[in-house]
C-alpha cells in the first residue's frame, strides 16, 4: 500500500522542458549568420523554425533539424532564357560589336533579335540567324569566352596605293641604306637655352628657329658634317652654304623645308623664314628649291614627348641631327644636387668621310652654344 503523503518521483515527461515555440508571424527572427545562410541555401523559412539557442536564437542545428524533419522545400524554378543584369536599363539593346556590324551589313533590326549570349546579349550568330544566313565560323579555343564590351573601331584592311609624295619618301628611305652610317649621342643642359626661348617667344621666335641657328653656328666650326661623299669621284664635297632643313610631318607624308644660309641670318629673319616655309608646306605650296637644297637636316620629336631617337641619313647628305625632348634630371651644381633639364641629341653621319671624333666634336660645340654661348644666337 502506498503512503499518499510520501513524495513520488516525477515522471520523465513531466520534468522535460517545453519545446521552444517558433516566433509568431511578423515577429523578428533572431538567428545566427550560419543559420541564415543555411536557411537561404535550403529554402527554409526561418519564421517556421523553433530556436534552441540563448533567448530562442535559431542556430545552424535548428535549421538542419528542420530540414531533416520537415518537408523538402520546393525547388526554385530556373528562369527561362538568359538572365538580364539588373543594372541594365529597360529598353537597352545589348549586342556585341560584331553583332552590331553584322546587323548594319545585313540590315537587321536588333530590337527584333532574341539574344542567346551571356546575359541575353545578342551575338553575331543571332543576327546572321535572323538574316537567314549560316552562323559565323567558331572562334579558336584560345579566344576569350566573353566578347569585349567596348566598341572596337573599324580598322583599315588591305592594300592602299601610295600617294606621289609617299612614293618619293619610300624611295628616299631606301636610298638611305646606300651609305654606311653611325650614330653619336650627347645630353645637353637646356637651362640657358630655355631662358633665351622664354625671352624670344613673345616675339614669335620658335624652338625650331633657335635650334637651326645653333646648329648652323656649330657647323661653321665643323664643316665636315655639312659635306657629303661623292662615290663616283671618290671625293668629299664641301659646301660653303649652310642650308638647314627641318623635317615636318604633313598629311600623307614628310617634307623638309630649307632655311638657306641660316648661319648668316639674324634670328628674327630665321624665325620669319621658318614661319613662311611651314605655312607653305601645310598648304602644299613649297617649290622644289625650298625642300631639296638642304645640306644638313634636323629632325625634332621632342614636342611629342620623345626622349631619344636616331634618324636615317638622307641620300646626298653627310649628317642628320635627331633632337629629343628636354627632361628634368638631377645634376651636381657647385657641389649641390640641383634639378636641371637636359635633352638628348643624336647625330647620324656617313662613315665614309665623317669619323666618330668629328661627330663628337660637333656635338661638343653644339652643347657649348646651347649651354654657355646662347648670346651668339641673337647676335
Amino acid at each position: 500500500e502506498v503512503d499518499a503523503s510520501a513524495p513520488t518521483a516525477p515522471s520523465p515527461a513531466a520534468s522535460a522542458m517545453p519545446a521552444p515555440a517558433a516566433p509568431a508571424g511578423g515577429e523578428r527572427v533572431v538567428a545566427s549568420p550560419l543559420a541564415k545562410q543555411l536557411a537561404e541555401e535550403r529554402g527554409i523559412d526561418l519564421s517556421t523554425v523553433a530556436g534552441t539557442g540563448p533567448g530562442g536564437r535559431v542556430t545552424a542545428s535548428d535549421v538542419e533539424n528542420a530540414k531533416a524533419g520537415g518537408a523538402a522545400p520546393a525547388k526554385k524554378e530556373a528562369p527561362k532564357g538568359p538572365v538580364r543584369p539588373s543594372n541594365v536599363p529597360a529598353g537597352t539593346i545589348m549586342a556585341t560589336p560584331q553583332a552590331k556590324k553584322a546587323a548594319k551589313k545585313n540590315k537587321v533590326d536588333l530590337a527584333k533579335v532574341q539574344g542567346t549570349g551571356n546575359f541575353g546579349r545578342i551575338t553575331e550568330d543571332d543576327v546572321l540567324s535572323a538574316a537567314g544566313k549560316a552562323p559565323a565560323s567558331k572562334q579558336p579555343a584560345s579566344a576569350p569566352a566573353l566578347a569585349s564590351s567596348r566598341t572596337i573601331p573599324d580598322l583599315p584592311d588591305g592594300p592602299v596605293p601610295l600617294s606621289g609624295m609617299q612614293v618619293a619618301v619610300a624611295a628616299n628611305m631606301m636610298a638611305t641604306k646606300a651609305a654606311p652610317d653611325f650614330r653619336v649621342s650627347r645630353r645637353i643642359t637646356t637651362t640657358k637655352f630655355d631662358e633665351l626661348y622664354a625671352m624670344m617667344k613673345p616675339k614669335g621666335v620658335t624652338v625650331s628657329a633657335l635650334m637651326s641657328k645653333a646648329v648652323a653656328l656649330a657647323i661653321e666650326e665643323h664643316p665636315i658634317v655639312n659635306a657629303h661623299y661623292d662615290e663616283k669621284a671618290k671625293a668629299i664635297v664641301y659646301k660653303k652654304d649652310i642650308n638647314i632643313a627641318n623635317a615636318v610631318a604633313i598629311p600623307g607624308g614628310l617634307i623638309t623645308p630649307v632655311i638657306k644660309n641660316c648661319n648668316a641670318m639674324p634670328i628674327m629673319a630665321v624665325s620669319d623664314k621658318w614661319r613662311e616655309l611651314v605655312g607653305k608646306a601645310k598648304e602644299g605650296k613649297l617649290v622644289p628649291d625650298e625642300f631639296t637644297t638642304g645640306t644638313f637636316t634636323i629632325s625634332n620629336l621632342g614636342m611629342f614627348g620623345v626622349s631619344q631617337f636616331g634618324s636615317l641619313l638622307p641620300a646626298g647628305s653627310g649628317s642628320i641631327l635627331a633632337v629629343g625632348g628636354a627632361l628634368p634630371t638631377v645634376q651636381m651644381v657647385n657641389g649641390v644636387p640641383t634639378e636641371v633639364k637636359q635633352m638628348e641629341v643624336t647625330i647620324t653621319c656617313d662613315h665614309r668621310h665623317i669619323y666618330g671624333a668629328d661627330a663628337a666634336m660637333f656635338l661638343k660645340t653644339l652643347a657649348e652654344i646651347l649651354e654657355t654661348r646662347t648670346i651668339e644666337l641673337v647676335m
Side-chain angles (χ1 to χ4, degrees), residues 139-154:
Q139 296 186 8
S142 59
L146 296 177
S148 174
S149 60
R150 71 180 183 89
T151 301
I152 301 175
D154 288 333

Side-chain angles (χ1 to χ4, degrees), residues 162-317:
L162 296 179
S163 66
M165 175 177 290
Q166 290 173 322
V167 170
V169 170
N172 289 339
M173 293 302 102
M174 289 299 298
T176 65
K177 310 309 294 182
D181 57 15
F182 70 99
R183 295 173 181 174
V184 176
S185 299
R186 182 186 177 113
R187 289 185 179 180
I188 298 176
T189 300
T190 62
T191 304
K192 295 292 184 182
F193 181 77
D194 292 340
E195 292 174 357
L196 176 62
Y197 174 59
M199 290 189 295
M200 300 301 295
K201 184 179 179 180
K203 299 180 181 180
V205 178
T206 63
V207 170
S208 295
L210 289 170
M211 280 297 300
S212 296
K213 183 64 182 287
V215 168
L217 295 180
I219 289 174
E220 287 183 341
E221 301 181 34
H222 305 277
I224 187 68
V225 300
N226 198 49
H228 77 270
Y229 181 78
D230 188 327
E231 177 66 32
K232 292 182 179 179
K234 305 298 181 186
I236 300 172
V237 182
Y238 286 91
K239 296 154 190 173
K240 182 179 180 180
D241 296 336
I242 300 177
N243 300 337
I244 304 297
N246 280 271
V248 174
I250 58 176
L254 178 73
I255 201 163
T256 52
V258 178
I259 305 173
K260 294 184 178 181
N261 301 306
C262 187
N263 60 314
M265 298 171 65
I267 190 60
M268 292 308 301
V270 172
S271 179
D272 292 342
K273 186 63 178 178
W274 180 241
R275 188 180 303 107
E276 174 193 342
L277 290 169
V278 171
K280 294 174 73 173
K282 292 180 177 179
E283 296 174 0
K285 296 181 179 179
L286 287 175
V287 298
D289 185 63
E290 292 175 318
F291 62 86
T292 62
T293 53
T295 59
F296 188 101
T297 304
I298 300 174
S299 179
N300 187 348
L301 294 179
M303 71 286 291
F304 298 111
V306 175
S307 58
Q308 190 276 339
F309 70 105
S311 295
L312 297 177
L313 183 66
S317 298

